[in-house]
Amino acid sequence: MTQFSDERGGELRELFFETAQELLQSLNEDALKLEKTPSDREIIRSIRRTVHTLKGDSAAAGFRELSELAHAIEDALAVETHGDDVSLAELGFVAADTFAAMLVAYRENGALPDASPLKSMVDRLASGPKKSKAHGNKKASTEADPEIVWTEYERLAAANARADRKKVFHIVAHIHPLCAMPVAARQLVTNALASVAQILGLRPEAAAIAETKRIDLLVATSQSDALLISKCEIPTVIKKAECKVLATAEPEIKEEQSTVEAPAAETVRETSHTEAESAGQTPRGHADTTLRVDAERIDNVLNLVGELIIGKSMLQQTMQEFAARFPKDALRARFSDAMAFQARVLNDLQRSVMKIRMVPVEQLFRRFPRIVRDTAQRCGKEVNLEITGQDTDLDKGLLDAIAEPLTHIVRNAISHGLENAADRARAGKPATGKLRLNAYHQANQLIVEVSDDGRGVDTAKIKAKALQAGIVSAAEAEKMSVQELLELVFRPGFSTADEITEISGRGVGLDVVRSVLHRLKGTVELDTRPGEGTKFRLKLPLTLAIIKALLFRIEQRLYAIPLNTVAEIARAREGDLHRVDAWEVLQLRGEVLPLMRMGQRPAEGMDNPQTKIFVLVIHFGGRKWGLIVDALDGEEELVIKALDDQTVATDLVSGASILGDGRVVLIMNLASVVARFTGGRESSPAGAFPPSTGRAMPEVRQ
Amino acid sequence: MNGKPVRVLVVDDSALMRKLIPQILQTDNSIEVVGTAIDGNFGLKKIEELRPQVVTLDLEMPGMGGLDMLKEIMRRHRIPVIVVSSHSTNSATATLKALSLGAFDFVAKPADVSSRMQEITRELIAKIKAAAHSRGVQIHSQMDLPTPATTQKSKAAVAREPSKVIAIGISTGGPQSLQYLLSQFPGDFPGSIVVVQHMPDGFTEMFARRLDESCALNVKEAQSGDLLLAGRVLVCPGNRHMKVKKLPLGDIAILSDDPPVNGHRPSADVMFKSVAEEFGEQAIGVLMTGMGEDGANGLGMIKASGGLTIAQGEQSCVVFGMPKAAIERGNVMRVVELDALAATLQAQCGKHRRQAKAAGQD
C-alpha cells in the first residue's frame, strides 16, 4: 500500500533536521527563562511539550536513540515535584546540547555522542520523590534477584493449602551451569518434588525457559524444607536450591490489589488534570501561521519573475517598433494601457516574492542569549545582553550565512572586549558588562551591530602584534591611520589575545568573518574607543537575489557593481592620472585615490591626455578606491543569476543578469578585484600612499 | 465508500507531522487532506473554513491544546476526531480522556514508528474512513453518565465465583460505550466480565483504571492467573491475547503472546472461542461497536456450545461493523441497544446464579 521510498524518507529526515533545530532553539530559550524563574511551571510544561514533539518527530524519522532519550526526559518532567538536586534549566541546556550533537551525528552518519551526563541527570530527576513512579512495572524490583509475582490463582491455592494446615514454600532452584537444557531441569525438579509436595506454581513458563538460570516453585507440603531442598538438588542439574516460607501477607486477594493500585492511580489522575488545565492557557509566544516552503521553490518563483521582467522589456521594445511603424493605429493606446497595467502588477509581484524570502533578524538573534550565557560563564564574566531591532527583515539565505561570523564576533567581544569584574571596577564601570546586538535598515542595506562597553581595542597593541606577526613592515605601520590599524585585525593570522583561549583567539577568526561578509557582498567594520567600548558593524545587502546596480562599460563589455558601494562618480581625463610606483592615482579634492584600471591601458603614444574617462569611487575595506571605466550605462535593479564554475572560470565576477533587451551583464566581485590589484596582501597601497584619513569611513562614530 | 474523497484536517504542532501525516494519508485516493493546523485555535478556524469530515488531532500542543479543541469540536461541530497519540504515560491518560470526551478513536505512534509506518498508515486510513462513514459521534459525556449504582466499592466483598461469564468484544467507540455500560452495574453484580478492547500496548492499564474509577464493579487490566470473580471486570492488555480456563480452585484468565488473529491482538475471536470451550452454556458473548469482523466467528462458537450471544444494535454503535458481521453470519441470538444492555445482562446473570457454589466459597 504505502511504500516509503528512500527519497521520501530522506526528505522527511531533512525536514526533521530543520524542525528539530527550531525545537532545540525553543528548548534553549525556555531553559534560559527557567534559569531566571526556576519554579515557573508554565515553562517546565513548555519544555516538556517541546521534548514531547522532538520525541515523536525523531521516532517518525527513525532516530531511535534520540527518541528514547527525549521520552525519558518527558516522563521525568511529567512528574510534578522534582528533586532539588537537579536544576531543570541545566537539564534543558544539557539536553539541547546533547540533542544537537546527536543531530550532527545522525546527519553525518557519525558516532553518537556520549549522552551519559544527560542520562544521569534524567535518572536523578526521575528518582527524586519515589512515589512519582506512577506507571510501569512497579513490582519488578531492580535487584539482581527478580522477584516472582505469583498469580491470583496461585495465591488462592496457597491460601487454601494453609487453611489445610500445610506449609507453603517458595523454592528457588539455581540451574547448574553444566545443564544445557533448562526445560529438562524444570521437569526433573517438578518430578522430584511431586512425591513430597503439591506444586502450586511454577516459573518460568515453558515458553520463556530457554535462557533461564533459575526455577521458581510455589509448593504446599507437610514435609520439612530441608527435605524439599535435598529433593531439588539433583547433581549436575541443580547447583543450589533455596527454600523460603512464603509470606502470608496476602490473606485477601482483592484487598491487596486495590491497596497497591490506588495511590498510583491518584498521582496519574493528578497529572492528567493539570495537563488539561495547562493545555488551555499556554501561549508559546505568538502563534505563527507559518507555511514551510523550500527556499529552492521560492528561488524558482523569483527566477521566473526575473524572466517575466525580461519578457516585459522585450514586449516594450516591440511595442515601440509597432508604434513607430503604425503611429496612427488605435490599438497603440490599448497596448500601452495593457503594458502599464502589466508593469505595475509585475512590480508588485516581484516585491511580494522578494518579501517571501525575508525573515526577521530575530530568528538569528534568539540564539544569542544562550551563547552569551555560556561564553560569559566560561570566561567568568557577568554579561548583560541587550537585543534591539530584532524585527528587521533580512533575506533568509543571508541570515543563515552571517550566523557564524556574528557568533564569532559576540564571543570575541565577551572574551576579549569586556573586562573582568575587577578591572571594570577599577575603571569605574558597573561589574556587569554590557553587550548589545542591534539591527536596522539603512539605505537598502541591513546593518547589524555588536557593541560592548569594554576596554576597547588598543591600536598600539595592534601595531605591535602586526609587526611581530610580520603582517606589516615598520615603515608601513608608521604611516597607517587609526582606522587602517584597526583594519589589521581582519587580516589572516592576526590575533591580539595574549593567551589563546578555547573560545576565541585561535588566530582564525576576524579574517574569516571578513571573507564571509565579502562573499555576501557585505562589509564588516570596527569602531573603538579605548576604555569605552568597541562596535563591530556588519553591513549586508537586504537580499542576494536582487540588487540595485550601477551599469558601466569597459571595452564594450557591460558590467555592474552594487550601487551602494559607489560613493561618487568622478569624471577625469587620462592626463589627470599620475603614477606612483606601480599605481595609477587620481587626486580628487585633496585626496589621493588609488586607481584600478580594468581595461587595457591605451598603448604608448596612442594615449590622448584629453580622452575622457569615468572613475567610480568605491568604498571597500575601509578605504576608497577608484575604478576606471569607459562609459556609464545607468542604474538598474538586477535579478542576479548565479554562474556555475563551468561557465565562468574567474572569481572576479560573482554573477550575471539579463537585461530587458536581452543583454547579459556581468556583476563584478569587488573583493576579488581589489585583492587582484593589491596582490592579495593589500600592503602596497598603504605603503605607497598617504593614508586616506578617517574621512574614508564616514560611519565611524565621532 | 465511493464518490468523493474524505476531507481530512490534520492538527498537530509538529511541523514534521503536519507533513508526514498528509503524505501517508494521500497514498489513499479516497482521502483528501484539506488542510493542516498548528494548534487548537487555528484548527477551529480551519474547521469553519474548510469543513472537513474528519479531524486528526495531536493532544500535546501549545496554545489551545488538543483536549480543549476536542471539547469545542464536540460542542460546535460534532465532527469525528481521531487522536494521534504517542507512547508515554501522559499521552495515555490524555488519550483516554479524549475518548471519554467523544473522540472517535485513536492511533498510537509506537516508539519504532518509522519501521512500522505501513501498519500505522493502514490503521489510520481505515479509522478515518470508518469515522467519515459513521453516523456522527455518540457522546456520553460525564454528565450523561448515570452515577454508578454504588459509588462505594464493596472492597470487603469476599471473592465469589461468578454466575455467568460475560465476554465482551469491542473496538472503535469502545471506551465510551464500555464506560457507559459498566457504570450501570451494581457492585454486587453476580457475573464476571472479560473484555477484549482493541487498544495498543500501554493504554489498557490506564483504560482499566479509568473504568475502575467510574463504576462500582472492580475493573483491572488482566494478568495471567487472575481469577474470574463476580463483580469483577478483567480487561485484556494490549498486544496480548486473553483466554479463560476453569481450574479446580476457580476460573482464571490466561494471557498469551500467540500471533494476532484477524490482524488483532487482543482478538475477540480468541477470547470467545476459549469462553465457549470452557464455559459452554454459562457463557454470554457480547459483540459491540467496532470496525471489521473480529469476534463474529467466535460468537458463533459460544452460540454453538449453548451460550447466549448478543450484538449491540446499529442505532447505538459508533461503527456497526463487528456486530453486523456477526448478525449476517447468523451467530447472534439477540440484538440489544446500548442503553438496554446492562439490564439485559443483569437479568441473564441473576437467573442462573450458582448459589450452591457461591455459598461454598464463602
Side-chain angles (χ1 to χ4, degrees):
Chain A
M1 239 178 89
T2 40
Q3 282 300 330
F4 254 68
S5 60
D6 283 354
E7 186 195 342
R8 227 187 307 123
E11 196 186 314
L12 189 70
R13 274 191 287 278
E14 270 315 305
L15 182 64
F16 169 71
F17 287 131
E18 195 184 317
T19 54
Q21 289 304 340
E22 284 167 29
L23 292 172
L24 292 189
Q25 181 56 45
S26 80
L27 190 58
N28 265 323
E29 281 167 18
D30 282 338
L32 277 168
K33 277 190 238 156
L34 199 60
E35 200 170 44
K36 293 200 177 80
T37 50
S39 55
D40 192 327
R41 289 252 164 274
E42 210 41 67
I43 301 173
I44 298 174
R45 281 196 203 102
S46 166
I47 290 181
R48 190 169 59 77
R49 252 199 318 272
T50 306
V51 176
H52 173 88
T53 305
L54 193 62
K55 175 190 75 174
D57 287 1
S58 54
F63 298 128
R64 182 134 202 189
E65 299 85 354
L66 179 52
S67 172
E68 279 167 5
L69 203 49
H71 188 176
I73 296 174
E74 186 198 353
D75 274 0
L77 288 174
V79 178
E80 290 282 313
T81 47
H82 306 288
D84 285 337
D85 55 336
V86 180
S87 147
L88 290 182
E90 198 54 40
L91 176 74
F93 290 133
V94 175
D97 290 347
T98 310
F99 289 153
M102 288 174 100
L103 288 178
V104 171
Y106 283 134
R107 197 192 273 273
E108 292 165 2
N109 285 324
L112 284 175
D114 175 26
S116 54
L118 179 58
K119 280 183 187 142
S120 75
M121 283 180 93
V122 174
D123 285 347
R124 265 188 292 150
L125 186 67
S127 64
K130 263 290 178 257
K131 66 160 183 136
S132 62
K133 279 265 167 190
H135 66 286
N137 28 10
K138 49 209 159 289
K139 278 168 192 160
S141 69
T142 45
E143 300 153 46
D145 199 20
E147 199 185 317
I148 293 292
V149 181
W150 301 108
T151 69
E152 274 184 13
Y153 186 81
E154 288 155 348
R155 280 179 280 156
L156 176 64
N160 285 356
R162 270 192 219 103
D164 286 352
R165 303 191 180 283
K166 284 188 181 161
K167 286 170 282 184
V168 180
F169 293 110
H170 175 187
I171 300 176
V172 182
H174 297 274
I175 297 173
H176 199 281
L178 290 177
C179 176
M181 285 179 68
V183 68
R186 192 177 77 142
Q187 193 56 48
L188 288 170
V189 171
T190 334
N191 290 349
L193 283 172
S195 59
V196 292
Q198 187 192 354
I199 295 169
L200 305 177
L202 180 62
R203 298 292 156 78
E205 279 148 36
I209 200 161
E211 293 295 312
T212 194
K213 295 265 185 300
R214 54 178 264 189
I215 301 163
D216 288 86
L217 299 109
L218 184 69
V219 299
T221 183
S222 40
Q223 306 289 333
S224 72
D225 53 348
L227 177 72
L228 293 179
I229 290 178
S230 72
K231 282 279 181 191
C232 285
E233 288 183 340
I234 307 163
T236 74
V237 174
I238 299 299
K239 190 176 62 181
K240 197 177 98 180
E242 300 161 65
C243 192
K244 20 188 189 183
V245 178
L246 189 75
T248 49
E250 40 193 309
E252 177 47 61
I253 292 150
K254 274 182 136 182
E255 202 68 307
E256 191 267 350
Q257 195 58 49
S258 45
T259 43
V260 171
E261 301 276 338
E266 201 65 33
T267 24
V268 169
R269 217 177 320 148
E270 205 171 78
T271 43
S272 84
H273 177 63
T274 42
E275 182 179 42
E277 256 182 7
S278 73
Q281 31 152 295
T282 55
R284 184 164 70 189
H286 49 90
D288 56 320
T289 45
T290 321
L291 180 69
R292 198 172 296 272
V293 183
D294 263 342
E296 205 177 308
R297 288 200 220 163
I298 297 175
D299 288 350
N300 257 342
V301 177
L302 196 58
N303 268 334
L304 292 177
V305 170
E307 302 286 342
L308 263 184
I309 291 172
I310 295 165
K312 180 192 75 176
S313 304
M314 286 163 61
L315 205 55
Q316 240 153 4
Q317 281 186 345
T318 319
M319 273 304 303
Q320 276 163 12
E321 270 177 48
F322 177 84
R325 211 174 297 173
F326 308 102
K328 296 260 160 58
D329 200 306
L331 268 179
R332 262 186 62 202
R334 280 161 63 189
F335 268 136
S336 64
D337 280 357
M339 282 296 304
F341 175 72
Q342 188 211 24
R344 201 170 62 235
V345 174
L346 251 175
N347 221 353
D348 289 351
L349 177 65
Q350 182 187 341
R351 219 171 307 142
S352 310
V353 176
M354 296 282 311
K355 252 194 197 145
I356 299 178
R357 285 192 57 98
M358 305 291 263
V359 291
V361 182
E362 196 214 341
Q363 283 195 7
L364 174 61
F365 279 6
R366 58 197 288 206
R367 299 181 201 177
F368 283 94
R370 172 79 202 268
I371 293 169
V372 168
R373 170 197 175 270
D374 285 359
T375 313
Q377 222 166 47
R378 234 173 301 163
C379 297
K381 292 173 185 172
E382 273 187 40
V383 180
N384 186 13
L385 175 68
E386 191 184 304
I387 293 179
T388 48
Q390 56 267 57
D391 294 337
T392 320
D393 282 340
L394 178 63
D395 185 279
K396 171 84 171 127
L398 282 170
L399 192 81
D400 292 341
I402 61 166
E404 276 289 305
L406 200 59
T407 306
H408 186 88
I409 292 174
V410 165
R411 288 200 171 134
N412 220 40
I414 297 168
S415 61
H416 301 329
L418 291 170
E419 316 89 327
N420 58 36
D423 285 349
R424 289 183 67 89
R426 232 167 286 142
K429 299 179 189 177
T432 304
K434 211 163 82 182
L435 191 69
R436 189 156 167 260
L437 272 176
N438 185 23
Y440 54 92
H441 283 158
Q442 190 184 64
N444 229 7
Q445 282 189 313
L446 177 91
I447 318 285
V448 179
E449 289 175 344
V450 180
S451 43
D452 64 61
D453 66 344
R455 58 171 74 94
V457 180
D458 185 351
T459 44
K461 217 167 167 184
I462 292 179
K463 202 187 278 181
K465 280 271 166 172
L467 286 173
Q468 189 193 326
I471 291 173
V472 289
S473 66
E476 284 167 346
E478 279 317 304
K479 287 185 202 161
M480 290 174 113
S481 69
V482 170
Q483 196 57 43
E484 280 172 325
L485 282 169
L486 287 177
E487 282 295 316
L488 289 177
V489 302
F490 295 109
R491 295 286 186 83
F494 187 91
S495 172
T496 57
D498 291 332
E499 62 201 88
I500 286 169
T501 66
E502 184 195 342
I503 301 152
S504 56
R506 273 160 298 190
V508 289
L510 289 176
D511 59 321
V512 176
V513 171
R514 166 156 287 184
S515 72
V516 170
L517 265 292
H518 280 180
R519 191 161 47 76
L520 302 176
K521 303 183 179 62
T523 58
V524 53
E525 292 156 11
L526 172 63
D527 180 13
T528 187
R529 284 173 159 204
E532 284 177 33
T534 309
K535 181 186 277 184
F536 280 89
R537 190 181 286 110
L538 279 61
K539 283 192 192 174
L540 291 157
L542 287 184
T543 172
L544 286 178
I546 296 194
I547 57 165
K548 264 207 154 71
L550 181 70
L551 273 55
F552 54 87
R553 287 174 181 281
I554 297 169
E555 297 185 345
Q556 302 311 310
R557 261 199 163 286
L558 197 56
Y559 295 94
I561 55 172
L563 194 59
N564 54 30
T565 57
V566 180
E568 65 172 293
I569 299 168
R571 310 188 66 159
R573 297 169 198 275
E574 285 282 358
D576 299 336
L577 307 186
H578 305 284
R579 300 200 59 134
V580 179
D581 293 349
W583 289 81
E584 283 183 290
V585 300
L586 174 71
Q587 192 141 9
L588 187 66
R589 294 190 297 274
E591 219 175 294
V592 178
L593 199 65
L595 295 181
M596 297 183 286
R597 191 189 282 275
M598 307 298 293
Q600 291 281 331
R601 179 191 305 283
E604 207 68 44
M606 287 290 289
D607 58 339
N608 181 356
Q610 295 307 312
T611 306
K612 283 186 191 159
I613 55 166
F614 292 95
V615 173
L616 307 184
V617 182
I618 57 171
H619 271 315
F620 202 82
R623 61 176 300 144
K624 286 182 184 178
W625 306 83
L627 199 63
I628 303 175
V629 302
D630 296 340
L632 297 176
D633 215 281
E635 53 176 90
E636 196 143 344
E637 284 208 337
L638 297 183
V639 181
I640 301 181
K641 310 230 169 201
L643 293 168
D644 47 24
D645 291 348
Q646 287 95 321
T647 327
V648 182
T650 171
D651 60 347
L652 294 177
V653 169
S654 61
S657 188
I658 303 172
L659 299 179
D661 52 8
R663 286 180 302 167
V664 173
V665 53
L666 294 174
I667 297 154
M668 234 175 231
N669 180 357
L670 281 178
S672 306
V673 170
V674 171
R676 175 75 62 95
F677 269 84
T678 55
R681 283 260 296 176
E682 280 190 37
S683 57
S684 28
F689 303 105
S692 56
T693 76
R695 276 194 304 159
M697 293 266 315
E699 294 88 356
V700 171
R701 192 172 55 189
Q702 292 306 305
Chain B
M1 299 242 170
N2 42 21
K4 284 188 191 160
V6 178
R7 298 162 58 79
V8 178
L9 175 71
V10 173
V11 184
D12 202 308
D13 68 329
S14 154
L16 192 80
M17 290 301 157
R18 287 201 304 277
K19 172 132 181 158
L20 179 63
I21 296 174
Q23 222 171 52
I24 66 176
L25 291 184
Q26 253 135 15
T27 57
D28 192 300
N29 290 335
S30 50
I31 292 179
E32 183 193 0
V33 177
V34 292
T36 60
I38 194 170
D39 70 6
N41 288 317
F42 285 103
L44 289 172
K45 268 184 221 154
K46 293 231 167 149
I47 288 178
E48 302 273 357
E49 212 174 285
L50 303 169
R51 296 280 158 199
Q53 290 163 276
V54 180
V55 174
T56 76
L57 180 62
D58 175 28
L59 293 179
E60 290 266 349
M61 293 184 296
M64 182 188 267
L67 288 174
D68 287 332
M69 180 183 178
L70 181 65
K71 281 181 205 157
E72 277 303 295
I73 294 177
M74 288 300 129
R75 199 170 65 80
R76 290 182 6 207
H77 306 285
R78 298 226 159 185
I79 302 172
V81 172
I82 293 174
V83 170
V84 178
S85 157
S86 71
H87 59 293
S88 78
T89 322
N90 270 306
S91 301
T93 319
T95 303
L96 292 167
K97 180 109 202 272
L99 290 174
S100 74
L101 287 173
F104 178 79
D105 204 337
F106 73 99
V107 173
K109 293 180 286 182
D112 55 349
V113 53
S114 67
S115 53
R116 289 168 57 187
M117 198 61 88
Q118 296 211 10
E119 192 185 318
I120 293 157
T121 303
R122 215 175 299 130
E123 184 187 345
L124 184 58
I125 289 174
K127 286 186 175 169
I128 285 174
K129 287 184 185 168
H133 297 93
S134 72
R135 306 160 305 98
V137 192
Q138 306 286 311
I139 306 161
H140 309 289
S141 73
Q142 310 295 50
M143 273 152 304
D144 297 339
L145 283 178
T147 34
T150 35
T151 31
Q152 274 300 329
K153 283 184 203 275
S154 38
K155 300 277 186 217
V158 186
R160 291 178 283 114
E161 270 201 41
S163 59
K164 294 243 175 186
V165 172
I166 301 167
I168 298 175
I170 189 164
S171 183
T172 307
Q176 298 169 60
S177 307
L178 265 185
Q179 191 174 358
Y180 179 81
L181 173 69
L182 296 181
S183 62
Q184 287 174 299
F185 290 106
D188 60 357
F189 178 62
S192 175
I193 301 174
V194 281
V195 176
V196 160
Q197 157 82 61
H198 293 155
M199 201 180 265
D201 200 7
F203 289 86
T204 37
E205 188 190 355
M206 200 73 70
F207 175 54
R209 264 189 215 156
R210 285 187 67 95
L211 286 178
D212 189 51
E213 284 162 25
S214 67
C215 69
L217 298 175
N218 231 303
V219 187
K220 85 179 278 270
E221 187 189 43
Q223 287 174 305
S224 259
D226 279 355
L227 293 161
L228 306 188
L229 301 171
R232 177 183 240 192
V233 182
L234 292 177
V235 178
C236 180
N239 207 21
R240 308 204 68 183
H241 283 303
M242 181 161 68
K243 295 183 193 167
V244 292
K245 194 158 182 61
K246 277 188 134 165
L247 288 176
L249 298 175
D251 313 325
I252 60 164
I254 297 171
L255 302 181
S256 82
D257 294 321
D258 294 340
V261 174
N262 308 328
H264 291 292
R265 190 164 74 188
S267 151
D269 271 337
V270 169
M271 179 180 68
F272 285 158
K273 179 165 181 276
S274 107
V275 168
E277 284 166 0
E278 293 289 317
F279 290 95
E281 59 184 22
Q282 204 194 333
I284 300 175
V286 184
L287 199 52
M288 296 177 65
T289 173
M291 323 184 302
E293 50 188 44
D294 185 31
N297 288 334
L299 214 55
M301 295 187 203
I302 293 182
K303 187 185 172 195
S305 58
L308 174 67
T309 57
I310 299 175
Q312 186 181 349
E314 184 172 3
Q315 286 305 311
S316 59
C317 275
V318 174
V319 179
F320 189 55
M322 300 186 332
K324 187 178 174 208
I327 292 168
E328 280 169 356
R329 287 170 206 186
N331 293 340
V332 174
M333 294 158 72
R334 286 201 202 173
V335 176
V336 182
E337 294 296 344
L338 183 59
D339 40 11
L341 196 49
T344 306
L345 291 172
Q346 262 179 283
Q348 285 297 322
C349 290
K351 245 188 253 172
H352 303 286
R353 193 164 173 178
R354 292 184 297 177
Q355 298 289 353
K357 272 199 124 179
Q361 273 297 299
D362 290 355

